[in-house]
Each structure stands twice: as C-alpha cells, then as structure tokens.
Amino acid sequence: MYLANPLACYRSPLDPKDALTYSLEAAGHVARLLALRDSTATPLVSLPALAGDLGLGALYVKDEGSRLGLGSFKALGGAYAMMQLVLDAAERKFGERPAAEALLTPPVRAIAAGMTFACATDGNHGRSVAQGAALTGAQAVIFVHAGVSQGRIDAIAAFGARIIRVAGSYDDSVREAARVAEENGWTVLSDTSWEGYEEIPALVGQGYIALVTEALAQLPAPPTHVFLQAGVGGFASAVAAHLAVRLGAERPHITVVEPARAACVFESARAGQPVQVPDAAPTVMAMLECYAPSPIAFRVLARLADGFMTVEEEDAVAVMRRLAFPLPGDPAVVAGESGGAGLAGVMAALRDSDLCARIGLDARARVLVINTEGATDPEVYRQLTGADPHDIRTKA
C-alpha cells in the first residue's frame, strides 16, 4: 500500500530546531565524536545485476551490518548521544566544555561513573547505549519487551548493562523505562520522543548523520530515490533531513517503508497527525515493531517524505534471501529481518506500474537503500534464510 504525502506541511522548510539538529555544522560534531571509537565507513554495495533485473538504472545498498562491531546503524545514535550528555555534565562541573578527546580521560570518566542511562529497545538501540556506557564509564539499564530475542538480549548484556524485562510491546517498555528512570534519578536515553522530551532523541538522530555523509561521498552520483524503513521514524527522519540539507532542491524522492503490522508513521500520515496503531500480531521485522511514531521524527517526515508505504512479512524475508543469494555478478549482503525493509519497499513498489510512472521509478532511477542491520541474531537469520551469516559474509 502506497500513500503519497497528503499533509499540508509537505515540502515546507524544516522546523528551525530540526534544521539545526541535522545541519552541516552538526555533521562535523558527529564526525569528531565518532572518531573516538572508529571512523571507518561502512561499505556502499552496488547491485548492477539486480538493478537490471528490476528495471532500474542503478541500485545501491549502504550496508550498516558492520557498523562499530554492533551490526546496526543504531551504533551511531545511542552511544553518540551518551557521549554528548557526558560532555554536558562535564561542562556543568568544570565551567567549560571539554574537548571530545577528554571523554576518555579520568576526570570525565569519573563524572560518567556517577551517571546511569536507561532506555527501551527492540535490540539494537539498547546495544548502542550499552556500548556507549562501556566506553565512557557510565552505567546502562536496558528495558527489553517480550518480543526481543534472547540472542539480542545476550548481546546487550555482554557490554555489562543491566537488563530489565517488560511484559508487552516496545511501547510498553518505553513507558516503563521512563517511569523507573524517574523514580531512580536516571537519564532516559530514548530514540523516540514524547511531549516535553525531545532534546535527547534529537541527539540520537543526529548521530545517524554519519551514514548519510559517508553514502554521499561513496556514491558516483546523488540518488534519485531513497527508500527508508521506519519504526518510530527516527532513522528515516534523520536521513531525509540531512539529505535535504546537503542536496537542497536536488534531494531524492523519499519513501518511508513500514511493516503492514506496525505502520504507525503511515497511519499518522493518513490521519494528519501522530497516532498510535493497535498492537496486532508481531512482525518478523522486529526492529520496526513500533506502534506510535516519534513526534519529532514525524515533524520532519511530514515535510520531507514524498510517500509512505507498507510491506508484508513475506516481502522482508524474500529480500533477506535475495541479498544472501544474489544474481551472478552481484556481491552477497547479510541483511537482518528489518535491514532489508527498504529494498522490500522498492520491490513492492515495482509491482505497481502506475505508481512507478508517478514517482519516476524506472530505468533512469538511481536507488539507494540502507541495510540497517546485519544478522544481529544469527539464529533467527539462519531460520529465515536457511544460511549461516558467517558463510554468506565469507562468500561476499
């Protein structure tokens, strides 16, 4: 199902707060902080054989499966936001803001040791927050809902984070994390926003600028179309916003892709305002299983998304397999259940010739998708694809 953006604010300028968050100056801040961890760019993979098979001019996958050892773009967000918040605390204590490099020094690590950060997660954001805590010396408490696999929980706990299990959905875990954090005086480091809570989720989104900067430097020409998967919308809004800042009027056609079983951004666009959708059957796209959009993300997407669409469960699994077992001449890509959702959107859109004609998805199109995660739970990957992710990576 595809919905052309019907909102009154479509194509209007970004809110000034969002323009600042995703500015070129912000990109510089992101690069300096992330350099303390690992500034290695993730690969951009060209798939010419698949592009030809689909009737596209070019198809590129920005592969976040190797990002900072966490296997997900989320590695850029939670840890980056935590680093900024620790520097904020150091600035309050010392009277001036320390340089980024000071994060690794004993005086700043002593400040971080007295800070506890809490968040809810589908798996990947919590892993980033846990890694950030290990880096800075802070404490992390991660709230996981019933749909988070044991493999993903174990990966978070490996960084020394405390795990609290919550019955119900991701949205239930968000509320519980906020409640417990307030009782204990902890800092909530969420990647979704709500009324009165915007600054920290904006920092999380700001960290995602790095992958846009990398992709534009790696591409032979700017993309004409970008398909971006959404859970609460933070990733999609960050990428769309920085593409708009970098490319201006030449920005690509942006389509937001969600599971049909958790299409909160789609339904919000249809309703004209952020809405919560019913908690229905779980989706295999576990990292996208969110039932209410982030208001600050929706504020951006309402202006910049050209269309919103949903994909079915079988679409996501089919893309995982298609990337694992590519056409001759194309490299293999390990994509997790949610990682290939953007490409699933491309392939679903191509089944509708009228839609393709309306949005220019044809042999002249240069399409960019982001593989937002690799096999962050190898056992689930094996069950869905029948392949071992290590073998696929080796083959690639």
Side-chain angles (χ1 to χ4, degrees):
M1 187 179 296
Y2 195 97
L3 174 70
N5 191 329
L7 298 161
C9 62
Y10 175 43
R11 292 187 175 173
S12 63
L14 285 170
D15 182 282
K17 291 180 289 188
D18 301 322
L20 184 62
T21 296
Y22 300 111
S23 65
L24 294 177
E25 181 182 9
H29 294 316
V30 172
R32 284 190 289 276
L33 270 186
L34 292 179
L36 297 177
R37 301 164 69 199
D38 182 356
S39 57
T40 303
T42 55
L44 182 83
V45 179
S46 175
L47 299 176
L50 182 56
D53 188 56
L54 297 176
L56 300 172
L59 176 61
Y60 300 98
V61 179
K62 177 65 170 167
D63 185 7
E64 292 294 294
S66 60
R67 178 69 71 180
L68 292 167
L70 296 192
S72 163
F73 81 98
K74 292 271 188 176
L76 295 168
Y80 167 80
M82 182 182 295
M83 292 155 72
Q84 289 279 35
L85 293 169
V86 170
L87 286 174
D88 289 346
E91 182 177 9
R92 290 191 295 270
K93 183 174 179 62
F94 301 143
E96 60 180 5
R97 192 171 187 83
E101 295 76 13
L103 274 168
L104 306 180
T105 63
V108 177
R109 286 183 64 84
I111 293 170
M115 303 175 72
T116 299
F117 295 90
C119 76
T121 188
D122 278 321
N124 291 335
H125 176 64
R127 203 170 170 186
S128 180
V129 171
Q131 188 188 55
L135 176 71
T136 61
Q139 306 299 311
V141 182
I142 312 299
F143 291 73
V144 298
H145 61 90
V148 180
S149 70
Q150 188 59 48
R152 292 190 171 99
I153 292 172
D154 293 342
I156 296 167
F159 287 104
R162 177 185 169 193
I163 305 295
I164 296 180
R165 297 174 184 266
V166 178
S169 69
Y170 169 77
D171 301 282
D172 295 319
S173 65
V174 169
R175 288 187 287 270
E176 183 66 2
R179 184 189 69 79
V180 175
E182 183 176 7
E183 286 181 355
N184 289 278
W186 301 337
T187 299
V188 177
L189 206 170
S190 177
D191 58 353
T192 191
S193 63
W194 52 84
E195 186 175 354
Y197 181 79
E198 291 192 356
E199 180 181 352
I200 291 175
L203 283 176
V204 173
Q206 192 174 73
Y208 303 153
I209 287 176
L211 71 88
V212 183
T213 302
E214 292 174 8
L216 290 176
Q218 293 164 323
L219 285 162
T224 60
H225 297 73
V226 181
F227 285 69
L228 300 168
Q229 51 267 61
V232 298
F235 159 75
S237 63
V239 175
H242 198 60
L243 283 171
V245 167
R246 292 269 185 182
L247 301 177
E250 301 303 313
R251 70 176 181 83
H253 186 282
I254 299 288
T255 299
V256 178
V257 183
E258 294 174 281
R261 294 182 179 181
C264 61
V265 177
F266 180 98
E267 293 299 340
S268 294
R270 184 148 63 177
Q273 62 182 354
V275 298
Q276 183 161 347
V277 298
D279 181 348
T283 171
V284 71
M285 292 166 270
M287 300 301 105
L288 307 179
E289 191 173 318
C290 305
Y291 301 102
S294 168
I296 63 171
F298 186 74
R299 186 171 68 208
V300 170
L301 294 174
R303 290 164 167 79
L304 297 182
D306 298 289
F308 306 85
M309 70 178 298
T310 61
V311 293
E312 301 299 330
E313 302 297 288
E314 57 271 22
D315 295 329
V317 177
V319 162
M320 292 174 69
R321 293 173 178 155
R322 187 139 195 187
L323 289 172
F325 305 102
L327 293 171
D330 283 354
V333 177
V334 175
E337 312 93 279
S338 304
L343 181 54
V346 175
M347 296 175 72
L350 286 167
R351 296 196 290 264
D352 185 336
S353 58
D354 290 339
L355 171 62
C356 290
R358 290 199 306 272
I359 68 175
L361 196 61
D362 55 28
R364 294 166 295 179
R366 301 183 301 274
V367 180
L368 172 66
V369 298
I370 291 94
N371 175 30
T372 49
E373 63 165 3
T376 52
D377 188 324
E379 182 54 37
V380 172
Y381 184 88
R382 282 189 285 269
Q383 290 172 5
L384 293 175
T385 65
D388 186 277
H390 174 75
D391 293 342
I392 299 298
R393 284 190 293 267
T394 302
K395 181 174 63 176

